[in-house]
Amino acid sequence: MSRILLVEDHDRLAQLMCKGLMAAGIAVDVVDRIDTAWAAVQQMSYQALVLDRGLPDGDGLILLQKVRNADLGVPCLVLTARDALHDRVEGLDAGADDYLPKPFAMDEMVARVRALLRRPVTFHSLDSCRGDLMLRPEAGALCCDDECVTLAPSELHIMQLLLDKHEEVVRRSALEAAAWGLSEAVTPNALDVALHRIRRKLLAIGSCQRIVNVKGLGYVLREDDASE
């Protein structure tokens, strides 16, 4: 299932949009501020961003510019009550892929999001490589030299974050958000189970990388360290 980030501060509208998108098979994380959205984008690899311009902490285009300056290729649909030509041009110049004025029909919004999801996007994660490990998201595989294992989607997102933050401790909450999203309820031990499976797979392919529990802080990917 594709997962997108919806940045919208109107609760009722956000609920209606979520309902329409989820009915189309699209999972949605919802936030209502630029700073919260930026933190979410840094934690997860979303397939699309649906962004309102009028947010409590500023113009949504501020977030879009941060995303583009970080070389993140996630496609973006901008929603706004500002439908003048110069507003649309401003949004597109800021890096929007599409622009939908309010009010809009839910069917059209869903159709535009689905169109964005069909676009080929090159993510920075496609060439994630640290030490003896290579993560291949398109194949859903983790490789060490010529040995590869298949990763479930949640495992892939966990490894992606650990590889990106190599030698840095990643909080448990960040790993859970990366694996299952911000709004999806997960069981308390879901992360422990996923980490156990990944550790076994690291051993199976002969990697010297280990996922280490740093008590009270989180987890880190290190070479030649023992796991828990």
Side-chain angles (χ1 to χ4, degrees):
M1 178 181 285
S2 298
R3 180 174 293 278
I4 72 167
L5 179 66
L6 171 61
V7 190
E8 171 60 66
D9 66 323
H10 190 291
D11 289 343
R12 178 58 178 162
L13 178 58
Q15 290 174 9
L16 291 172
M17 293 175 67
C18 282
K19 183 177 180 180
L21 290 164
M22 293 182 69
I26 301 169
V28 187
D29 287 339
V30 184
V31 295
D32 60 1
R33 300 178 62 87
I34 293 171
D35 55 359
T36 312
W38 177 235
V41 168
Q42 291 177 293
Q43 287 182 6
M44 291 193 63
S45 294
Y46 289 103
Q47 282 73 58
L49 176 66
V50 179
L51 174 63
D52 185 26
R53 286 195 63 173
L55 297 168
D57 53 344
D59 189 333
L61 294 187
I62 295 172
L63 171 65
L64 182 55
Q65 289 168 344
K66 292 174 66 114
V67 169
R68 295 298 180 245
N69 289 340
D71 291 327
L72 299 177
V74 56
C76 178
L77 170 64
V78 171
L79 308 173
T80 182
R82 309 174 189 178
D83 60 355
L85 176 60
H86 71 273
D87 291 316
R88 295 197 298 273
V89 171
E90 186 180 19
L92 294 170
D93 284 345
D97 296 271
D98 198 0
Y99 202 95
L100 185 60
K102 295 179 179 179
F104 51 80
M106 287 296 161
D107 287 347
E108 181 181 5
M109 182 274 299
V110 171
R112 288 181 182 238
V113 172
R114 292 175 72 174
L116 289 183
L117 294 174
R118 289 194 296 268
R119 295 184 182 183
V121 179
T122 302
F123 294 99
H124 75 287
S125 60
L126 292 178
D127 57 354
S128 292
C129 181
R130 293 290 187 277
D132 60 358
L133 289 177
M134 171 68 76
L135 187 67
R136 304 182 186 278
E138 288 187 334
L142 181 67
C143 301
C144 177
D145 296 326
D146 295 329
E147 298 293 326
C148 294
V149 287
T150 300
L151 297 183
S154 58
E155 297 167 2
L156 190 150
H157 287 302
I158 290 168
M159 277 305 302
Q160 175 71 78
L161 186 54
L162 288 171
L163 284 167
D164 286 348
K165 302 292 186 181
H166 190 57
E167 297 290 350
E168 295 181 28
V169 177
V170 183
R171 292 188 177 278
R172 184 182 184 91
S173 59
L175 290 172
E176 289 175 336
W180 296 286
L182 298 173
S183 58
E184 185 172 339
V186 295
T187 57
N189 67 339
L191 180 63
D192 299 310
V193 173
L195 289 172
H196 177 71
R197 289 197 302 260
I198 297 171
R199 284 169 170 153
R200 291 181 61 183
K201 292 176 181 181
L202 286 170
L203 290 172
I205 59 177
S207 173
C208 61
Q209 302 288 332
R210 297 291 181 265
I211 298 174
V212 181
N213 180 13
V214 182
K215 190 173 182 179
L217 295 177
Y219 298 85
V220 62
L221 188 68
R222 288 180 182 156
E223 186 172 338
D224 292 330
D225 273 326
S227 58
E228 289 181 275

